[in-house]
Amino acid sequence: MNIHALRDAFQERYGVTPRLIVRAPGRVNLIGEHTDYNDGFVLPIAIDRATFVAGRLRDDRTIRVYSAQFDLEDQFDVDTIERLPDASWANYVRGVARGIQARDLPLAGADLLIDGNVPLGSGLSSSASLEVAVGYALQLLNNFNLLGEELALLAQGAENSFVGMQCGIMDQFMAALGQFDHALLLDCRDLSYRTIPIPPAVRIVICDSGVRHSLVGSEYNDRRAACTEAVRLLKARLPKITALRDLSPADLERHAAVLPADILPRAQHVVTEIERTQIAAQALEQGDLARFGSLMYDSHASLRDNYEVSVPELDLLVELARSAPGCYGARMTGGGFGGSTVNLVAADQVDAFVAAIGPAYQRQTGRQLDPLVCRASDGVGRASIK
Ligand code: ADP
Ligand code: MG
């Protein structure tokens, strides 16, 4: 992303230079899938792709915002912020502004310009990076102070209520609080977290399968319902539990007879995945990449066989990665039914890895693969002009 070009574009559009430019990253989850809504653990990194927002205050009550990606502008009055009826990109911006106002924080008119290099709609959470970047830009422009966690909650609220997407907190949390060369072991029950260093000798490679199934929403709701039902049934034996988080894999095995055949494997995925995520964080902390990688493969197998949210293209990408040079581990990441895989690859073999997996995937599926090589990056902040 060229900051100078962004500043020039702002100048050209609004006739003045921006007072500031901020950036907020996208994210990818290394392990801990479908654990967030079970009060479990996730282990994401913020990636070195971000949404940038340039801004300055106006002396009226209007916010004007331009998206360079869409070449579209929106305009609204800060005192009467309404949700646009269509699923418009501008609702992410309006929702954040509304969240600021709802907290009785100061909010003046502003000119904003958005650009970025997080791929849109491929599961790397461009939406959260946009919300958090806009929130942070407005925070600096209006001179109020929010902690990272509060900014994340405000951004999540915008997505929940203005966009109508019932996402968890992970994406906004990483956009706000990600750390350079670290993953965060985030406890979704109370939002406490631990930073886990990523050894400098590895890269995170993200492979977008190019597949998007329309089932995502209904299948997601179905899996959530299965988890709720599992907890309800298990409560008969274990009255103190409130979420699958409260069971170990051994507990579940002991009480497996309580669950019907279609629910048991769902619960098995969740309880083993929560345990795997904690063990994986330890392995990463100790620099044991082989162990971490093998837990990634286990996670994928569990998502494929027990949770049944994978698709053949994701399975293929994981199998191709397994035999590609320098790969420690691979798994699908995100909700499933398409989307991406995340791969842990030796830094000095990334080129060979990409050269092996890309053509093989294309040969077998006819789809182009465009792997994204990432490092863990810092959460939201000012973008420096280098
Ligand atoms: P993901 O978060 O995985 O990228 P989503 O569907 O949740 O996918 O969010 C993508 C949407 O976020 C886009 O369709 C658009 O509405 C909005 N968005 C993200 N980045 C930008 C941007 N730079 N400009 C305008 N809208 C954006
Ligand atoms: Mg999103």
Side-chain angles (χ1 to χ4, degrees):
M1 192 75 230
N2 184 334
I3 305 293
H4 293 284
L6 189 69
R7 194 177 50 184
D8 293 348
F10 189 97
Q11 163 96 41
E12 197 167 303
R13 186 154 201 95
Y14 297 116
V16 280
T17 51
R19 212 189 91 200
L20 49 81
I21 301 178
V22 304
R23 54 167 285 288
R27 64 92 190 95
V28 69
N29 190 20
L30 303 183
I31 193 164
E33 217 63 74
H34 287 282
T35 52
D36 56 345
Y37 52 85
N38 291 293
D39 279 3
F41 291 88
V42 291
L43 189 70
I45 61 164
I47 59 175
D48 46 4
R49 302 285 146 61
T51 301
F52 291 76
V53 175
R56 65 141 193 162
L57 283 185
R58 294 165 59 91
D59 41 25
D60 61 15
R61 306 288 296 157
T62 301
I63 288 185
R64 275 170 69 190
V65 53
Y66 172 75
S67 164
Q69 262 100 339
F70 291 178
D71 188 22
L72 288 174
E73 188 179 281
D74 182 44
Q75 234 187 70
F76 56 92
D77 189 308
V78 294
D79 299 308
T80 52
I81 304 173
E82 278 169 27
R83 183 178 177 273
L84 296 172
D86 303 327
S88 165
W89 64 276
N91 280 329
Y92 295 89
V93 180
R94 288 174 172 233
V96 168
R98 183 76 189 88
I100 290 170
Q101 223 202 22
R103 282 167 174 74
D104 278 333
L105 295 164
L107 184 63
D111 290 326
L112 303 175
L113 187 143
I114 299 165
D115 203 352
N117 55 16
V118 185
L120 306 191
S122 62
L124 301 181
S125 212
S126 68
S127 61
S129 73
L130 171 60
E131 292 147 12
V132 170
V134 167
Y136 193 65
L138 293 175
Q139 159 177 341
L140 295 182
L141 287 172
N142 290 287
N143 296 316
F144 60 82
N145 192 22
L146 280 179
L147 297 175
E149 187 181 323
E150 291 172 322
L151 177 59
L153 287 165
L154 190 155
Q156 182 201 16
E159 184 140 353
N160 291 164
S161 62
F162 255 64
V163 179
M165 171 70 199
Q166 296 309 312
C167 57
I169 187 68
M170 171 170 70
D171 304 355
Q172 289 82 6
F173 203 88
M174 293 312 291
L177 291 162
Q179 285 196 21
F180 179 71
D181 272 357
H182 286 71
L184 263 57
L185 178 66
L186 175 64
D187 184 338
C188 298
R189 174 161 268 174
D190 62 8
L191 298 189
S192 62
Y193 65 92
R194 219 147 58 74
T195 56
I196 312 284
I198 304 216
V202 289
R203 292 291 175 274
I204 309 299
V205 182
I206 300 164
C207 295
D208 186 343
S209 68
V211 177
R212 310 270 184 278
H213 282 293
S214 54
L215 299 167
V216 181
S218 60
E219 292 286 348
Y220 179 81
N221 292 339
D222 170 87
R223 297 306 182 281
R224 282 191 78 138
C227 294
T228 309
E229 179 62 2
V231 172
R232 192 184 70 79
L233 293 167
L234 286 160
K235 260 180 183 292
R237 299 273 192 89
L238 300 162
K240 284 196 187 134
I241 67 167
T242 59
L244 287 175
R245 156 72 176 278
D246 299 316
L247 273 81
S248 68
D251 293 332
L252 181 60
E253 222 168 279
R254 212 169 305 124
H255 300 289
V258 175
L259 299 183
D262 57 336
I263 303 251
L264 178 60
R266 308 293 193 237
Q268 275 164 338
H269 165 72
V270 172
V271 300
T272 60
E273 183 78 356
I274 290 173
E275 185 179 76
R276 257 192 301 278
T277 304
Q278 293 168 276
I279 298 172
Q282 266 172 24
L284 194 59
E285 210 158 32
Q286 293 158 2
D288 190 345
L289 297 170
R291 176 106 177 94
F292 188 88
S294 113
L295 291 162
M296 290 175 81
Y297 289 124
D298 291 349
S299 166
H300 184 79
S302 173
L303 287 158
R304 181 191 60 209
D305 302 335
N306 286 332
Y307 221 57
E308 297 185 88
V309 291
S310 189
V311 291
E313 290 85 353
L314 292 170
D315 298 341
L316 174 63
L317 280 172
V318 169
E319 286 320 306
L320 292 174
R322 205 189 286 275
S323 53
C327 187
Y328 290 103
R331 54 181 286 279
M332 56 160 277
T333 184
F337 299 99
S340 301
T341 61
V342 58
N343 305 264
L344 191 67
V345 181
D348 58 1
Q349 293 194 72
V350 159
D351 292 344
F353 174 85
V354 169
I357 197 169
Y361 186 68
Q362 182 156 14
R363 212 171 326 116
Q364 294 191 45
T365 62
R367 288 174 190 275
Q368 180 104 16
L369 194 71
D370 192 12
L372 212 62
V373 179
C374 294
R375 285 184 79 154
S377 101
D378 279 325
V380 72
R382 279 178 186 263
S384 55
I385 294 191
K386 292 199 180 101

